[in-house]
Structures are given as structure tokens and as C-alpha cells.
Amino acid sequence: MSNRQSLLLNKIRQQHDKVHPFLAEASGQLIRVVGLTLEATGCRAPIGSLCSIETLVGDLVAEVIGFDDNILYLMPIEELRGVLPGAKVTPLGEQTGLNVGLSLLGRVLDGNGQPLDNLGRLQTDQKAPRHSPTINPLARRAITEPLDVGVRAINAMLTVGKGQRMGLFAGSGVGKSVLLGMMTRGTTADIIVVGLVGERGREVKEFIEEILGEEGRARSVVVAAPADTSPLMRLRACETSTRIAEYFRDLGYNVLLLMDSLTRYAQAQREIALAVGEPPATKGYPPSVFAKLPKLVERAGNGGPGQGSITAFYTVLTEGDDLQDPIADAARAILDGHIVLSRSLADSGHYPAIDVEASISRVAPMVISTEHLESMRRVKQVYSLFQQNKDLISIGAYTQGSDPRIDNAIRLQPAMNAFLRQKMKESLSFDSCHLMLSQLSAQCKV
């Protein structure tokens, strides 16, 4: 049994005496194991609570994910090893609270909120319940201020407001992790919370050391659950990231929450739901997946008076670059805008590979000036005009002088490409991005 698992089990046992009398029954026993699903009888425990299972290698912690008559369905939090038929199953009660506090900054945690970085225990005694109360939508402050993320294409063309929820739609290998790293270094947010869920283990260390860097890490909390962890850990990592962001928001901080990725969250819930027999629906995703997505996303956003904000970016993996993937389609409907990363732009060396035509920020008109909005509109129109006629221009079918607007778009194309490109370690302020956009807009004829 790992040290992190032992620590978690000890904390849970400290709460064991507080179990509701209704649950204070004799321990049950394990009767069946199928895949990652364990079935137990003889004990009572509510969904979401934890149980301890005796194994040949020590006690295993599992979460109750469903029941059928007198049978409890459980799923292990850690690796399933050494389990025997008839193993003793003991209810441990509700899950313990989450460690919170400013001492989390600079640390790397797992899905349970325990340290992964070998820097010792968390220097905090503050706890927060894992599940926060739902915010009354009328109690939230309106989104009225822009958030500087240090990326010119976003600041100028897809302005994000404090408290906005954005989707980052991308296939594999088009630079989404690099773009997230650019935002962590360039943003003016007070605190950054990064959730790395379901990614390759190599990428976790790479993101922290090379992309995030020392400067970004100093004001960040990273929660990591790589692809080889259990579905429950991946699910918890998303919820833990959001809960930590909520804690800092409630203290009055402006938080940037970067979740990579929302698709892995949906896939983890699909694994759990199918394991307990929920019927599959669209492309194998059960209905509970589409119920959980808005519950997670709606926890971000502005708080009430005196509180801060959570500006969230959720990456959405588009399988085969298909923007009609069911998770991508559901995410677009519940987010406040989306940024699409184009594989063709990435293949041509254009980074960040943001497709400004296919992307939109729904709150931009509410957080920028009329002048900025007009400059954005003019530049986007000229950029789109070139893209619409790109094929004709490239094969020589367009004759110069036929349309003055297209001539202008061709002339400005190098300047627009240079404007939308940015080096990985380059950060630009919101005001400088606005100034460069105004200068480019002045050359546009629409």
C-alpha cells in the first residue's frame, strides 16, 4: 500500500466514530469482482462514501458508486491488487475534507489533494468540504472586466472576461498544453489552478518544469491524475481542482482555472457509469455524463459581493478533429465561448494555432470598449475574406484588381499572420495588444 493511500486511510479512520447510527452495522464481505467493479453484501454505505477492503497487501480504499438491493457496487481509488473472495468490507463514512490554504501554492497534488511532489506534508490545518454549495445565479456578480492572459490573439480578438468559462477545442498535438503554459506565465490573475487529468505521465512533469516554469509555478496549484490512475482519481482530480479554485475565489482572489481536459473527465465518468450498468447513449456516453458536465462547469465563474472570480479554460479533445463529437457539442452549449486550435495552422508552423474565424468569446462585447470591438470586427472581416478566397488566390485564379477588398486582404495577410503568432515564452499586456490591434485595424478596408 502506498504512503499516500495509508495517509488517506488513517484520516478516514479518524472520522469513523462519526458514522451515522443507521450505518453502524457489522462489516460486509466481497462477493464479486468484475473489471474494476467490486460487489459487497452485508453492510450499508451511501453513494459517494468510502469503504475499506482487506487484501493480501493491506487495506484497499474504495468508493461506493451504486447499489442494487443489498449489493453495494464499489470502485477502488488506487490499484486493485491482492483481493480475495469473501474479503472483509468495512464502511468508513463520508469522505474527509480537502486541505486548503495559501501554502498550496507551488505544490503538486493528486486527485485526493495529497502531495505528489515529495516536498513534505502540506503546511496547513485548514479544511474545506469536498462539495461546495450551489451558488444562486442571481447572487453572482456580472462579468464586466477583461482578464489579461498574456496571449495577443486572445487578448485582442477573443477577449476573455473575469469569471468567464471558455472551451479550448483541439485535436492531439496542436499545441494546447503550450498555450495553457503561455497563459499561466502571462496572466494577471492572482492565483492559477491547473488540473492535468488523464494525460501521459511524462507530460505532467514536462508541463510543470518546462511549460509552467518556476515563475508560473510559484503562484500555481497543480492537481495531476495521469492516464494510468483509476477513473475515480481522474474524476476527483477535476473536482479537487475546481474546489481549490472555489476556495481562493471565496477569499477574494481572481483565479485562473486551467482544466486539461474536460473530455477525460467525461470519459472517466463513462467508465464508472458503464461499470454499474447504466445504459450507453450517444457514442457510448451514458446520460449521467451529460448531467455531470454542467455541474462541474457551473461551479466556476464570479462569486458574490466581496468575493473574487474563477476564469476557467477547459480543453476539449476533438477526436479526429471532429467538432461534432458529443462531448465537444455538449461543452459548446454550456460554456461562454470557445477557442478552436487548427491542425492546418499548426502544421504550417503558425503558433498558437488559434483559428480566429471558428472561435468566439460570448462576453467580449461586455468587457471591451466600442473602439476595441470595432477594431476586432474590421480585422476579422478582412482575415475571413482572405480565407474565403484562399484557394482561388493560391491557384492563380484570382486576378489582382478585380476586387479592392480582396487586394487589401492579400496585402495585409503577412501582417495579420505576424499579429496572430506569438513565441512560447513571450507575454504581452492587454493594453499593448489593443494598441497593435488598433494599428492593424486602421489599415483594413471593409
Side-chain angles (χ1 to χ4, degrees):
M1 184 164 52
S2 68
N3 291 334
R4 286 185 288 110
Q5 188 175 352
S6 300
L7 183 62
L8 174 65
L9 191 57
N10 290 335
K11 288 185 176 181
I12 294 167
R13 280 173 170 162
Q14 291 173 8
Q15 303 290 324
H16 195 200
D17 294 337
K18 302 177 183 178
V19 176
H20 194 280
F22 180 73
L23 306 176
E25 294 191 357
S27 299
Q29 64 176 359
L30 204 61
I31 60 170
R32 190 167 183 252
V33 176
V34 179
L36 288 178
T37 308
L38 295 82
E39 298 180 11
T41 58
C43 57
R44 287 175 174 169
I47 291 177
S49 66
L50 301 177
C51 292
S52 169
I53 301 169
E54 289 186 349
T55 74
L56 292 176
V57 292
D59 289 346
L60 174 72
V61 180
E63 182 176 319
V64 180
I65 58 173
F67 60 84
D68 182 2
D69 198 8
N70 293 321
I71 298 175
L72 283 183
Y73 296 116
L74 306 107
M75 186 168 284
I77 293 174
E78 298 284 348
E79 185 181 357
L80 183 62
R81 288 190 301 120
V83 178
L84 295 173
K88 185 180 178 182
V89 180
T90 306
L92 296 175
E94 295 296 326
Q95 299 180 28
T96 56
L98 193 65
N99 290 310
V100 291
L102 289 172
S103 61
L104 266 60
L105 296 179
R107 301 301 301 268
V108 183
L109 313 176
D110 66 8
N112 287 319
Q114 299 302 318
L116 269 179
D117 49 18
N118 297 320
L119 296 179
R121 63 181 295 273
L122 298 173
Q123 301 299 316
T124 179
D125 295 322
Q126 299 179 64
K127 295 278 187 180
R130 288 186 173 273
H131 302 287
S132 59
T134 303
I135 299 179
N136 185 328
L138 299 181
R140 291 183 185 268
R141 299 189 324 279
I143 300 174
T144 57
E145 298 176 59
L147 177 71
D148 185 353
V149 295
V151 180
R152 182 165 48 215
I154 298 177
N155 280 347
M157 302 295 291
L158 302 162
T159 310
V160 175
K162 291 179 181 177
Q164 185 174 357
R165 287 81 55 93
M166 288 285 281
L168 190 59
F169 291 71
S172 57
V174 294
K176 65 181 184 305
S177 296
V178 174
L179 180 57
L180 294 180
M182 290 172 69
M183 287 192 277
T184 60
R185 288 191 298 271
T187 184
T188 56
D190 303 316
I191 289 171
I192 302 152
V193 180
V194 183
L196 301 175
V197 181
E199 299 297 325
R200 293 183 289 272
R202 174 187 60 81
E203 287 187 332
V204 174
K205 187 172 183 180
E206 210 172 76
F207 182 90
I208 293 167
E209 294 183 356
E210 298 180 20
I211 297 177
L212 192 60
E214 287 298 322
E215 183 184 346
R217 186 173 175 179
R219 55 178 175 147
S220 303
V221 183
V222 178
V223 180
D228 60 346
T229 56
S230 71
L232 277 174
M233 284 294 277
R234 281 176 267 145
L235 211 64
R236 284 180 169 213
C238 291
E239 293 165 356
T240 297
S241 305
T242 305
R243 187 66 190 95
I244 291 171
E246 286 176 315
Y247 167 78
F248 288 121
R249 184 221 18 224
D250 295 345
L251 289 181
Y253 292 101
N254 290 316
V255 182
L256 178 63
L257 172 63
L258 304 175
M259 188 79 72
D260 186 13
S261 70
L262 196 64
T263 304
R264 304 298 189 205
Y265 176 81
Q267 289 173 346
Q269 175 58 22
R270 176 173 65 180
E271 289 180 52
I272 294 169
L274 293 177
V276 295
E278 188 177 346
T282 312
K283 284 196 176 180
Y285 288 100
S288 63
V289 171
F290 301 100
K292 270 188 168 287
L293 286 176
K295 286 184 179 179
L296 180 73
V297 169
E298 283 296 322
R299 289 168 61 182
N302 282 337
Q307 296 182 335
S309 64
I310 300 175
T311 307
F313 283 82
Y314 300 95
T315 67
V316 181
L317 301 175
T318 50
E319 296 180 9
D321 298 327
D322 178 16
L323 292 178
Q324 304 309 314
D325 174 86
I327 300 303
D329 200 40
R332 264 198 310 272
I334 58 178
L335 294 169
D336 303 321
H338 51 271
I339 296 172
V340 178
L341 298 187
S342 164
R343 186 171 299 279
S344 62
L345 287 175
D347 290 344
S348 65
H350 186 294
Y351 290 103
I354 297 174
D355 185 345
V356 294
E357 276 191 296
S359 307
I360 188 171
S361 171
R362 291 175 183 161
V363 305
M366 296 182 279
V367 298
I368 59 176
S369 64
T370 305
E371 177 199 352
H372 188 160
L373 189 62
E374 179 62 20
S375 297
M376 183 193 300
R377 184 189 65 82
R378 289 169 65 89
V379 170
K380 195 167 185 178
Q381 280 186 332
V382 173
Y383 181 83
S384 298
L385 186 63
F386 178 86
Q387 297 302 320
Q388 291 162 12
N389 294 275
K390 186 176 180 179
D391 291 341
L392 291 176
I393 296 167
S394 62
I395 64 174
Y398 173 75
T399 304
Q400 189 171 1
S402 302
D403 188 331
R405 295 181 310 142
I406 298 178
D407 292 341
N408 186 51
I410 295 171
R411 180 178 62 83
L412 286 177
Q413 193 60 25
M416 288 195 172
N417 284 334
F419 176 76
L420 295 173
R421 286 192 181 108
Q422 188 171 330
K423 294 178 181 177
M424 187 177 82
K425 295 189 177 180
E426 181 184 10
S427 294
L428 297 158
S429 70
F430 184 84
D431 290 338
S432 66
C433 294
H434 180 202
L435 178 62
M436 285 184 269
L437 177 68
S438 299
Q439 293 170 347
L440 184 60
S441 172
Q443 304 175 57
C444 295
K445 298 175 184 178
V446 294

